[in-house]
Amino acid sequence: MMVEIPGVLTPDEVKQFRSLLEAADWRDGRHTAGHVAARVKANEQLAQDDPLAIKLSSFILERLGLVSRFVAAALPLKVLPPRFNRYTGAGSYGDHIDNAIFSVPGAPVRIRGDLSATLFINDVDDYDGGELIIQGEFARHQVKLPAGHMILYPASTLHQVTPVTRGARLAAFFWIQSLVREDNRRAMLLELDDTIQGLAADTPDHPSVVRLTGLYHNLLRDWAVT
Ligand code: NI
């Protein structure tokens, strides 16, 4: 399941992020890739202990807790602190699948990546190329979203970032361990949630709203692993 989450950051916030990130201490991104992925990776990243990365990362983490669409779609149990990357000068990241398990710097915590997230920090007309291409079961999806918007997709999928041939592409990226590990179950819960919201908006007093809401929680109770 791929879900677009609009407006995670406001236009003013992305503007601030951009000006801070333009002056940041960018490093070669290959250092953080595994052996296989490093062969196809050509971008720059901020070190995880970079004070600016820590500051912006905490801001995004706090914000995510308030974005109801993110909470409904991801059903997050643990969220890895967002990292930051930049693609310029034909930089790209060829086909790869993300690691399964991540460590949290400075904490004895490990996170299983169920979902991958990319939060776009600059506007689509700031750069050419830089599409995130996600190989779905039946189709390839091309994703390039406005600044402040985010895409969530299953971490198990093959994906790539196409070469950035003009300008710079800035993004935050991170992984989420979900309460519900199976993508299809998460997709059904989101569909049920959306259906209940629609029904409750049209006929708030209909007794089915209460029954369906109960069903939602009982399914989540059955499927959630904490
Ligand atoms: Ni990746």
Side-chain angles (χ1 to χ4, degrees):
M1 165 181 72
M2 282 179 41
V3 183
E4 187 180 328
I5 320 274
V8 172
L9 297 176
T10 67
D12 276 350
E13 288 164 352
V14 279
K15 215 163 141 186
Q16 280 189 354
F17 268 59
R18 269 202 301 271
S19 65
L20 291 167
L21 287 171
E22 264 156 30
D25 180 16
W26 293 100
R27 311 274 177 89
D28 188 332
R30 270 173 301 196
H31 298 313
T32 57
H35 290 300
V36 176
R39 293 164 57 91
V40 293
K41 187 176 186 186
N43 68 1
E44 296 167 297
Q45 286 181 204
L46 294 190
Q48 287 175 52
D49 59 357
D50 182 310
L52 177 64
I54 292 170
K55 180 178 150 185
L56 299 182
S57 187
S58 310
F59 186 92
I60 295 170
L61 278 180
E62 258 182 57
R63 173 59 50 80
L64 287 172
L66 306 172
V67 178
S68 56
R69 189 74 185 149
F70 167 75
V71 176
L75 298 169
L77 173 63
K78 299 180 202 166
V79 182
L80 199 78
R83 303 173 183 180
F84 298 88
N85 63 14
R86 176 169 78 171
Y87 293 81
T88 53
S92 64
Y93 197 166
D95 267 333
H96 66 281
I97 289 180
D98 295 338
N99 289 346
I101 304 291
F102 298 91
S103 300
V104 178
V109 176
R110 287 198 293 177
I111 293 181
R112 186 188 61 232
D114 294 325
L115 288 154
S116 297
T118 298
L119 170 61
F120 291 80
I121 293 174
N122 52 359
D123 278 309
V124 291
D125 47 9
D126 288 349
Y127 59 99
D128 289 336
E131 276 99 5
L132 173 63
I133 296 185
I134 300 164
Q135 184 66 55
E137 201 176 342
F138 303 111
R140 279 157 66 89
H141 305 277
Q142 278 202 26
V143 183
K144 189 169 173 177
L145 299 179
H149 293 218
M150 188 169 87
I151 187 81
L152 274 180
Y153 59 100
S156 55
T157 47
L158 194 67
H159 58 276
Q160 61 166 282
V161 176
T162 63
V164 171
T165 53
R166 177 187 64 87
R169 176 196 194 267
L170 291 170
F173 62 102
F174 56 100
W175 293 270
I176 299 124
Q177 180 170 342
S178 179
L179 288 161
V180 177
R181 187 194 178 298
E182 295 81 4
D183 187 61
N184 64 324
R185 289 183 174 176
R186 237 183 290 113
M188 288 191 286
L189 286 171
L190 184 61
E191 176 65 15
L192 182 56
D193 192 11
D194 285 347
T195 307
I196 296 167
Q197 306 280 345
L199 184 65
D202 286 349
T203 53
D205 298 324
H206 198 289
S208 294
V209 173
V210 173
R211 292 175 65 183
L212 286 170
T213 304
L215 177 62
Y216 175 89
H217 287 295
N218 288 334
L219 284 170
L220 182 56
R221 205 184 320 276
D222 248 23
W223 290 344
V225 176
T226 60

